[in-house]
Amino acid sequence: MGERAADDRHASIGVLICDDAEALRALLVVVVDLHEGMHVIGEAENGERAIAEAERLQPDVILLDMSMPVLTGLDALPEIKSVAPGAKVIVLSGFASSAVRADALAQGADRYLEKGEPPSSIATAIEEVASATPRSLSRR
Amino acid sequence: MTATDRLRVLVANEHLDRFGLIVAAVESLGHEIVARTVSVPEVAATTARERPDVAIVGLGANSDHALGLVSEIVREAYCPVIVLLADYDGDWLDEAAKRGIFAYIIEANAAELQSALDITLRRFAEVKSLRESLERRNAEVERERAATNARRRQALELHDGVVQGLAVAALAHDLGRHTESREALAEALERAQAIVSRSLEELALDGQSVRELIETAASGRADG
């Protein structure tokens, strides 16, 4: 990798994808890697692995499923924020926003997205949370 | 007397002359004496060991010492406590009631004692029977609640699986991955069919006819 490429990679948003559905993880990798300015740095298939990978990789943004085995995304969230305080967390969930969004935000999520959003919305959300200040995040 | 009316009774009385009278009266009423003691302070420990339905405790004098015993017995006994007293003393009984005795009987002659024991134990047997009915009903409700929660959790897992499948299908479609999208849709459809099948089976078990169930499903689509 040349110096310029290394600099671009350094400036790019590093994303950790956490979802127990392998097919969905694979597609989210495609969504992230297709967009300029962001790249996938890791994956996790349950809440426990999400915490471990968040601590090890210190990602900029974490896409976090709520309903995962071993430890749910909701239960893992506070620990994730503790071990990776610089990471912004987007909860990407199959539950309707009205049902669990408030709980997710209360546990420390920066954004709540329902599964089924188009790739462009997911990418936009990643860019927005990565660049947002804590104050602007809390208003969403 | 039915099996449920027959009580397992502990008798305690430090006054030996009254002890035999009480035991005889209780037995003549058809109840079973499962434990007897002349040491009132031992009542709590004896109830823990013998697990009687009720303890009849003769306290003799209505003294502060007796009130202390009442407190200790009621606090530690594993069953309701009926107190036998030598004389009526309203203030003392008010205090004993506050400390939790189930009932009291004033010791008199043998006939009156037997009559009082009969009435008190009958009332107690009714309370015990009602309490057992309530406990059985509560246990039944708890079992039903647990079964309902288990069914809801299973349904939630199935529903979540459908949502996951549809989310994968939508994302794959948006990314132009039509084969993956089609596969995910087929999987979600299979899960959705499993939900409908399970619901039909549960409703059929409740006695609803297939015709009613088909009409219900169709009316749901019309409402939607």
Side-chain angles (χ1 to χ4, degrees):
Chain A
M1 192 181 286
E3 196 173 313
R4 173 70 183 274
D7 285 347
D8 288 349
R9 197 71 174 167
H10 187 68
S12 172
I13 302 165
V15 181
L16 172 64
I17 295 172
C18 310
D19 199 306
D20 60 320
E22 191 179 350
L24 194 58
R25 281 204 314 273
L27 290 168
L28 289 170
V29 168
V30 174
V31 170
V32 171
D33 283 343
L34 275 179
H35 276 77
E36 218 172 293
M38 61 183 74
H39 65 285
V40 175
I41 59 170
E43 298 178 35
E45 70 281 7
N46 62 53
E48 261 185 22
R49 291 279 301 156
I51 294 168
E53 290 298 272
E55 184 170 25
R56 186 175 72 85
L57 298 167
Q58 295 296 315
D60 300 305
V61 175
I62 299 171
L63 287 180
L64 182 68
D65 182 25
M66 290 273 267
S67 175
M68 288 194 290
V70 185
L71 187 66
T72 69
L74 194 64
D75 290 333
L77 237 172
E79 187 69 13
I80 287 173
K81 296 296 277 188
S82 168
V83 299
K88 300 295 194 307
V89 177
I90 299 174
V91 166
L92 188 59
S93 170
F95 298 119
S97 174
S98 58
V100 286
R101 180 178 180 273
D103 286 334
L105 296 182
Q107 290 287 78
D110 298 291
R111 183 74 69 90
Y112 188 92
L113 281 184
E114 289 180 13
K115 283 183 178 174
E117 293 280 352
S120 57
S121 297
I122 298 169
T124 301
I126 292 171
E127 284 169 345
E128 285 180 356
V129 295
S131 62
T133 62
R135 185 171 175 150
S136 61
L137 282 171
S138 65
R139 284 200 298 266
R140 290 186 182 281
Chain B
M1 174 174 289
T2 66
T4 53
D5 293 334
R6 186 176 162 84
L7 298 170
R8 302 175 71 253
V9 182
L10 176 148
V11 176
N13 199 320
E14 287 170 335
H15 298 270
L16 291 175
D17 57 325
R18 309 297 291 173
F19 193 92
L21 188 62
I22 298 162
V23 168
V26 170
E27 284 179 336
S28 73
L29 293 168
H31 301 297
E32 179 188 4
I33 305 287
V34 294
R36 58 187 75 188
T37 176
V38 292
S39 173
V40 172
E42 284 179 10
V43 168
T46 309
T47 62
R49 190 171 64 247
E50 300 294 340
R51 299 298 175 115
D53 294 315
V54 61
I56 298 172
V57 182
L59 291 173
N62 308 336
S63 62
D64 286 345
H65 172 66
L67 275 178
L69 286 175
V70 165
S71 291
E72 191 180 323
I73 293 166
V74 169
R75 186 174 64 246
E76 296 183 11
Y78 280 76
C79 65
V81 174
I82 296 170
V83 170
L84 283 171
L85 296 170
D87 304 298
Y88 177 80
D89 181 336
D91 292 339
W92 191 94
L93 281 170
D94 186 45
E95 184 57 34
K98 284 177 190 167
R99 296 183 187 209
I101 62 168
F102 178 81
Y104 72 91
I105 294 170
I106 304 298
E107 294 181 26
N109 61 49
E112 284 179 2
L113 175 63
Q114 176 149 351
S115 175
L117 274 171
D118 187 15
I119 291 169
T120 306
L121 292 179
R122 275 177 196 271
R123 294 290 89 81
F124 174 72
E126 286 168 7
V127 170
K128 178 171 173 277
S129 175
L130 281 172
R131 192 176 57 210
E132 286 168 352
S133 295
L134 185 63
E135 284 170 357
R136 279 196 298 276
R137 177 69 192 134
N138 285 343
E140 197 178 311
V141 167
E142 194 50 47
R143 276 196 300 277
E144 284 173 7
R145 183 181 297 148
T148 302
N149 284 341
R151 281 201 297 274
R152 283 177 178 161
R153 279 196 295 274
Q154 285 176 343
L156 182 60
E157 284 171 20
L158 282 169
H159 291 151
D160 191 48
V162 172
V163 172
Q164 297 283 0
L166 292 174
V168 169
L171 198 52
H173 175 268
D174 289 343
L175 291 168
R177 298 184 168 221
H178 299 300
T179 304
E180 284 176 57
S181 177
R182 178 76 201 165
E183 285 172 358
L185 263 182
E187 198 177 318
L189 182 60
E190 201 174 305
R191 287 174 183 268
Q193 285 168 335
I195 293 171
V196 174
S197 298
R198 181 170 293 189
S199 299
L200 285 174
E201 283 167 14
E202 285 179 358
L203 289 166
L205 282 175
D206 282 346
Q208 293 195 40
S209 71
V210 172
R211 178 184 293 277
E212 283 174 326
L213 297 175
I214 291 171
E215 283 172 0
T216 302
S219 67
R221 284 198 297 278
D223 292 344

